[in-house]
Amino acid sequence: MNMDGKTVIVAGLGVSGQSMMEVLGSRAGRVLGVDEKKPDADLHSFDQIDWDNTDMVMTSPVFNPRTPFILEAQKRNIPVMSEVELAWQLRVNSNTTGKPAQWIGITGTNGKTSTTEMTSEMLTACGLAAPAVGNIGKAVSHAAVDPANDVLCVELSSFQLHFTYSLELDCAAITNIADDHLDWHGGIENYAADKAKVFHNVKKALVYNADDERVTKLAFAAQTAPECRRIGFTLAEPKDGQIGVKDGWIVDMSGIAGGEAGKSFQVAKVTDFTHLTEPDGTVYPHLLADALTALALVLGLGADKDKALAALKQFTPGGHRIQTVAVAKTSDGGTIRFVDDSKATNAHAAKASLNSFADKSVVWIAGGLAKGGRFEQLVADQAHTIKAAIIIGKDQQPMLDAFKASAPDIPMSIIDPTDNDTVMARAIDAAGTYAQSGDVVLMAPACASMDQFKSYADRGNQFAQQAQRWVNEHGEA
């Protein structure tokens, strides 16, 4: 992309916006940052944009497609693009190969971060410079212009993909699609269409969730390079063209792991991946699905299977993803565990988390910013797991409605939302009144965090701090 002499507007100066400003600084003729809240922005109102002298607009995920400045740019036929599109257009050649770094793109409603981290760790173990970028790690626009990188493992949100047009990835995956961010996209079909952009013209491996009907349809509707493999992952016994699980083994029938396509090939025992299971060996199904996705991606890229598997066996999930953050000993010699899954910000993710534990063993901390979501089905499906519920959040009604409709007999404590500073302490104290030996206090809220916390990470950190306080006060020495 030649940007000489071009005037570029960067809308929003968060992490991606700041990165675009820096990357464009030496490439475009003039770069103007617009942010209503940042004192150092060039413009503090979108009304100040000189549209007659604007050539391009780089937008941030915070702005939905119906935002007035985006509509104005489109009316004037001024290109509007995401940081991902900019990064793709500005790719530089790798020092190693003399060609642009290969891109692996990972999207989906849930599981993107863990899958991206697993993919990066396996490729790094194979001797490649393969950072996790995008929504995590380094900004993708900076990574794309760094010649030291061999592969970019890119976590892609639906927001980023909406204003992305020309991606042709080496490998791509959609982990799952469930109702989320529908207010931003204007409906599930628009949301799914944006996710599906990762599959367009994939060169080597298209990895899809064979247990998700919508994702499967997108995978087989996608136009790919002729040599591209389609690989389905499943938590059930795999069929031809899939990788899955049978008799406690990861089993491949796609041929991606070295066996013959269409024939069952044992890859590794599930129990070898100790970080993907409960202490008693119970598998976290969502993390196992992420592992299958990542394994298919790296093998599809052509990585060394043995080195990749060795790295995957050592993988530990990142922060706020089903992490045990405190353990209280009980008088009978048992324990009460406090598990942080603050990253479970929608019903789909919360279901996967709740489903990892035994019947009636979970004191569930739930609620927050619902983003228009409903929880009746989630509560109905997981009532067998939930012993009690602690409801947080400013708008508690969607969660309260769900329990009233689907599980009215489950005991519940409602945390007064007026004091954000003490909400987590009060939630933990309430959970402690229900928890007994063998139970888990699980924070997998099924909601976003911004109504009472700075971020899901802040929410998780406060949960961990207050859980440890409770353990110190109430646990047996």
Side-chain angles (χ1 to χ4, degrees):
M1 178 193 291
N2 184 358
M3 307 189 79
D4 290 346
K6 303 285 188 182
T7 295
V8 183
I9 296 294
V10 176
L13 298 180
V15 174
S16 66
Q18 291 282 7
S19 178
M20 288 190 284
M21 291 287 292
E22 293 166 9
V23 168
L24 288 166
S26 60
R27 292 172 170 83
R30 190 179 184 210
V31 185
L32 297 173
V34 188
D35 195 304
E36 296 170 339
K37 298 179 181 179
K38 295 289 179 71
D40 57 345
D42 299 297
L43 305 176
H44 295 98
S45 170
F46 291 99
D47 294 334
Q48 295 175 309
I49 295 173
D50 179 2
W51 289 110
D52 293 332
N53 292 294
T54 296
D55 298 297
M56 296 179 184
V57 174
M58 306 295 160
T59 188
S60 300
V62 68
F63 300 113
N64 73 49
R66 299 170 299 284
T67 305
F69 80 85
I70 291 176
L71 297 176
E72 181 65 26
Q74 292 172 332
K75 184 175 76 173
R76 293 169 174 265
N77 293 316
I78 296 170
V80 179
M81 63 182 71
S82 68
E83 185 199 7
V84 171
E85 178 67 19
L86 175 67
W88 181 257
Q89 296 278 359
L90 294 181
R91 289 169 298 151
V92 299
N93 290 335
S94 164
N95 291 335
T96 305
T97 64
K99 301 175 183 178
Q102 298 182 89
W103 279 41
I104 297 177
I106 297 148
T107 194
T109 304
N110 299 300
K112 298 185 294 294
T113 300
S114 293
T115 302
T116 306
E117 290 171 342
M118 291 176 185
T119 302
S120 174
E121 289 202 15
M122 283 190 277
L123 292 176
T124 300
C126 293
L128 297 169
V133 301
N135 269 5
I136 56 174
K138 191 175 186 178
V140 66
S141 50
H142 265 121
V145 298
D146 183 350
N149 293 323
D150 300 314
V151 183
L152 298 186
C153 304
V154 190
E155 179 184 335
L156 294 165
S157 73
S158 56
F159 309 135
Q160 294 167 318
L161 286 166
H162 182 85
F163 292 106
T164 298
Y165 315 105
S166 62
L167 280 184
E168 294 186 358
L169 299 168
D170 293 278
C171 301
I174 299 180
T175 58
N176 45 63
I177 293 179
D179 290 356
D180 200 21
H181 307 302
L182 302 190
D183 48 353
W184 196 97
H185 291 276
I188 185 67
E189 295 303 326
N190 294 340
Y191 176 60
D194 285 333
K195 292 289 191 188
K197 288 183 177 182
V198 295
F199 285 162
H200 182 65
N201 284 342
V202 178
K203 301 181 186 77
K204 295 183 178 180
L206 181 159
V207 181
Y208 68 95
N209 185 341
D211 298 331
D212 187 312
E213 183 179 354
R214 191 186 300 273
V215 173
T216 300
K217 287 180 179 178
L218 293 174
F220 283 92
Q223 179 180 351
T224 68
E227 65 276 12
C228 178
R229 297 188 186 195
R230 284 180 174 82
I231 306 157
F233 68 88
T234 174
L235 293 178
E237 182 177 343
K239 299 175 183 176
D240 189 10
Q242 298 177 356
I243 187 168
V245 180
K246 181 182 179 182
D247 298 331
W249 283 76
I250 293 174
V251 172
D252 178 46
M253 288 192 67
S254 71
I256 200 72
E260 185 178 341
K263 292 189 176 181
S264 182
F265 179 79
Q266 290 185 328
V267 179
K269 287 185 177 180
V270 173
T271 52
D272 290 345
F273 302 89
T274 55
H275 299 295
L276 308 184
T277 65
E278 277 278 274
D280 65 359
T282 303
V283 173
Y284 295 137
H286 52 314
L287 289 181
L288 178 56
D290 297 346
L292 293 173
T293 311
L295 187 60
L297 287 167
V298 300
L299 296 181
L301 193 72
D304 182 283
K305 181 182 70 175
D306 293 335
K307 290 179 180 177
L309 283 171
L312 187 57
K313 289 173 183 178
Q314 297 299 314
F315 175 81
T316 303
H320 315 293
R321 186 75 189 268
I322 209 152
Q323 282 186 310
T324 297
V325 294
V327 179
K329 294 181 180 179
T330 53
S331 58
D332 63 356
T335 62
I336 298 169
R337 288 191 298 132
F338 292 79
V339 176
D340 171 14
D341 204 353
S342 184
K343 210 168 189 306
T345 58
N346 53 54
H348 189 272
K351 180 178 179 179
S353 188
L354 286 161
N355 208 33
S356 302
F357 302 100
D359 284 358
K360 293 299 178 185
S361 69
V362 174
V363 180
W364 182 33
I365 298 178
L369 195 62
K371 300 177 291 184
R374 301 299 301 178
F375 307 104
E376 284 79 2
Q377 193 61 53
L378 168 65
V379 173
D381 290 345
Q382 295 302 316
H384 66 96
T385 308
I386 302 166
K387 177 179 182 176
I390 313 300
I391 309 302
I392 61 174
K394 294 287 189 185
D395 180 13
Q396 301 170 338
Q397 205 57 49
M399 196 64 72
L400 297 177
D401 289 346
F403 275 94
K404 183 178 180 180
S406 301
D409 295 334
I410 290 179
M412 185 186 313
S413 292
I414 301 168
I415 304 303
D416 185 331
T418 54
D419 184 3
N420 288 352
D421 292 339
T422 64
V423 62
M424 191 58 72
R426 289 180 285 125
I428 292 290
D429 288 340
T433 65
Y434 297 108
Q436 296 175 309
S437 180
D439 289 342
V440 172
V441 176
L442 173 68
M443 189 180 63
C447 293
S449 59
M450 288 80 74
D451 57 339
Q452 293 184 306
F453 305 92
K454 295 176 183 177
S455 63
Y456 76 81
D458 176 43
R459 181 172 59 186
N461 291 336
Q462 290 196 35
F463 173 82
Q465 291 164 5
Q466 294 301 327
Q468 191 57 58
R469 171 194 57 84
W470 192 93
V471 168
N472 294 340
E473 292 174 359
H474 299 280
E476 296 289 323

